[in-house]
Amino acid sequence: LLKTNGLPTYHLAHIVDDHFMGITHVIRAEEWISSAPLHVLIYHALGWPVPRLAHVPDVLGREGGKKLSKRFGAIPILEYRDLGYLPEAVLNYMALLGWSYDGETDVLSRDELIAAFSLDRVGTAPARYDEERLLWLNGVYIRRLSLDELTERALPFMERPEAAGGLPDTVARPLDRAYVARVLSLEQERMKTLAEAPQLTAFFFTPALDYDASQLLAKRMTRVQSLEGVRRTHDLLASPPEWNAAAMEAPLRALVEELGLKPIQLFTAIRVAVTGRTVSPPLFETMEVLGRSITLARLEDAMTHLSAMPEDEQTQ
C-alpha cells in the first residue's frame, strides 16, 4: 500500500480521500473490478464503511474499438467549450453513453437526468463515442435557446480575433448587440455550434463581398437574363416605402412571372448578389436585416460583375 519512498499507492490514497470527502457511491470503469475486493479489505481494516461500488463498461472511440482516453480519441473537456458546444448538450450526451432513459428519448435536461438516472439502465456493452451525434444534439440545444441567450453566448465567438475564428478584424468591436440578435435570429436554425456563428454571419458585417461572379448565373440563365433580373430587382427595391420582407416578396415574385423565369433562377442571382453565397437564410428576411442601402449597393456591384462577363456566358 506504500511505495518505497513512503508515499501511498492509488489503492490506499483514493480510499482515504473518498472517506474524508464523505463519498457514498463509487462508479468506475470495469477494469477496476479485479481491484474491488482489495479495496473492500482496506475499508474493513481501517474500520470505515464501504461505499456502494459499481463498475460500468468503457467508452470506445468511434473507430478502432479502442478505449477513449486522453491518449486515444478524446480531447480536453474545455476544448468543447472553445469549439462552441453548450455544457448542457455535452452533459446530456455524456449521460447517454451507455445509459438510456427509455430507449427512445435523446434530449433530457439536467434536472430530468438527475430524476431519471439509475444504474440498472446502464448497459453491459461498451458505449461508442460519436462526434456526429454530439454535434446533432448540440444543434438541438442551440435551437432551444431564447434569442437573448443565443446572442449572449455567441457574441464572444463573433468578437474573437479573426485568427481565432472570429469575424474579420475589419469589423469594428464591440458589435451592436441588437443587430447581432437580428442576424442570429435568421441563422439559429442552421447553427450546430456557437463557433459557427462568425462564418455563417460574416456577410452581415463586412462591407464588401468576395464571390465568383459566375455564381450569379443560376441554372439555364444567360448573362443578359441575370443582368436584367438584378437590374429590375434593384429598381423595385429602391422604391417601396416600407423596408420589410413582406413588402419585398410580392413584387419580386411578380417580377419572376414577368421575366418568364423560375423563382430559383432570379432568387439565386439576388441571393448571391446580396450575401455572396448560394446558401443563406431566407432571402427576403436577410435583405430586411441588411437594410436598403447595403442591399442596393450589393445589387449594383453584382450588375458591374455581370456587365464585365463575356456576352455568351450561360450556365447549363
Side-chain angles (χ1 to χ4, degrees):
L1 297 180
L2 296 177
K3 300 178 183 179
T4 56
N5 60 5
L7 293 176
T9 63
Y10 168 79
H11 299 288
L12 176 61
H14 90 275
I15 288 175
V16 175
D17 198 29
D18 285 356
H19 173 73
F20 285 106
M21 287 196 298
I23 300 299
T24 58
H25 294 67
V26 176
I27 304 174
R28 292 182 295 202
E30 59 188 354
E31 62 209 55
W32 290 98
I33 290 177
S34 60
S35 299
L38 170 63
H39 299 158
V40 171
L41 289 174
I42 297 172
Y43 275 106
H44 288 166
L46 295 172
W48 293 339
V50 180
R52 299 290 299 274
L53 301 178
H55 296 82
V56 296
D58 289 328
V59 177
L60 306 180
R62 187 176 179 184
E63 299 176 357
K66 293 178 63 177
K67 183 178 72 171
L68 198 67
S69 70
K70 63 183 179 182
R71 296 179 181 84
F72 175 77
I75 63 173
I77 189 65
L78 292 182
E79 284 194 26
Y80 285 100
R81 178 191 62 189
D82 296 339
L83 290 170
Y85 286 88
L86 305 182
E88 52 267 45
V90 174
L91 174 65
N92 190 158
Y93 180 72
M94 293 294 289
L96 295 176
L97 283 176
W99 176 86
S100 68
Y101 173 60
D102 55 11
E104 298 178 358
T105 305
D106 290 320
V107 183
L108 292 155
S109 69
R110 180 176 180 271
D111 289 341
E112 288 171 332
L113 287 169
I114 290 172
F117 186 84
S118 63
L119 285 172
D120 60 356
R121 295 198 64 84
V122 175
T124 57
R128 192 173 293 276
Y129 174 73
D130 187 341
E131 291 180 357
E132 291 184 4
R133 188 154 189 79
L134 172 58
L135 189 62
W136 168 81
L137 190 60
N138 200 62
V140 171
Y141 272 87
I142 284 178
R143 289 189 289 277
R144 289 186 170 195
L145 293 175
S146 70
L147 186 56
D148 281 345
E149 288 177 311
L150 178 60
T151 303
E152 180 70 23
R153 297 195 190 198
L155 264 172
F157 291 87
M158 299 172 73
E159 292 184 336
R160 284 174 173 175
E162 183 176 2
L167 289 169
D169 293 335
T170 53
V171 178
R173 273 79 160 171
L175 300 175
D176 182 288
R177 187 187 178 96
Y179 182 67
V180 169
R182 294 184 69 197
V183 169
L184 291 176
S185 70
L186 300 180
E187 293 287 7
Q188 186 169 9
E189 286 298 312
R190 295 200 301 152
M191 288 175 61
K192 294 181 180 179
T193 71
L194 297 174
E196 290 179 332
Q199 184 274 327
L200 288 173
T201 65
F203 68 87
F204 283 102
F205 298 91
T206 52
L209 301 178
D210 182 19
Y211 58 88
D212 187 335
S214 65
Q215 293 179 303
L216 292 163
L217 304 181
K219 190 174 182 180
R220 301 186 186 284
M221 286 278 283
T222 65
R223 180 194 69 85
V224 172
Q225 286 175 308
S226 291
L227 179 58
E228 176 67 5
V230 173
R231 183 185 65 78
R232 293 286 300 278
T233 298
H234 177 278
D235 293 345
L236 273 175
L237 295 182
S239 58
E242 294 185 45
W243 185 261
N244 58 59
M248 296 180 228
E249 184 169 3
L252 286 178
R253 290 196 180 278
L255 178 61
V256 169
E257 296 292 330
E258 182 183 338
L259 295 175
L261 300 173
K262 296 178 180 178
I264 192 173
Q265 291 178 307
L266 178 61
F267 295 160
T268 293
I270 299 172
R271 188 183 307 279
V272 173
V274 300
T275 70
R277 304 175 183 187
T278 56
V279 178
S280 73
L283 178 59
F284 306 112
E285 288 79 357
T286 295
M287 291 192 292
E288 178 181 336
V289 172
L290 282 169
R292 189 194 303 267
S293 61
I294 291 178
T295 298
L296 294 179
R298 290 182 177 182
L299 289 170
E300 290 166 6
D301 287 342
M303 287 188 281
T304 300
H305 290 315
L306 287 165
S307 297
M309 283 185 178
E311 288 295 329
D312 59 351
E313 191 76 27
Q314 179 178 0
T315 57
Q316 300 300 316

